[in-house]
Amino acid sequence: MTGPSLRQLHAHHAIHQGGLSGAIAKTEEVEELLEAKEIEVARQAADHLIEYWETRIISHADAEEDGLIPEVIHQFHALLVVNSIHSRDEERLLLAEA
């Protein structure tokens, strides 16, 4: 079961945008520190960047794979079944009218 934020488009989009902007900012920080030849500080910033990816980006992707994606697939399959039944019934009605 997923949290409500994964199923609400606006909230889910905000999660993705927040993750992206955080990753960009942390990556730029590492790049700037490397350009300034602050190697040890850049190494620490890189460690923070990796931790960010593990705790924010990868954990969110895992939540999507474990909850949201199977839910969406199940709902999509249910819609396909309903559509198939509807199409079959509609075809019967059209043939009965002919």
Side-chain angles (χ1 to χ4, degrees), residues 10-81:
H10 186 274
H12 196 151
H13 179 71
I15 291 170
H16 281 252
Q17 286 304 112
L20 177 61
S21 64
I24 289 171
K26 291 181 179 302
T27 301
E28 288 173 349
E29 177 186 13
V30 172
E31 290 172 342
E32 290 167 4
L33 289 166
L34 288 171
E35 288 173 3
K37 306 224 185 294
E38 296 282 345
I39 304 303
E40 187 54 39
V41 179
R43 187 173 290 133
Q44 292 172 1
D47 287 342
H48 289 133
L49 175 60
I50 292 168
E51 181 181 338
Y52 182 84
W53 270 93
E54 291 172 345
T55 60
R56 292 290 201 87
I57 309 300
I58 295 172
S59 66
H60 177 73
D62 288 344
E64 286 181 341
E65 287 179 7
D66 293 341
L68 180 66
I69 292 172
E71 285 179 26
V72 170
I73 290 171
H74 178 74
Q75 291 173 359
F76 182 71
H77 177 72
L79 287 173
L80 290 176
V81 170

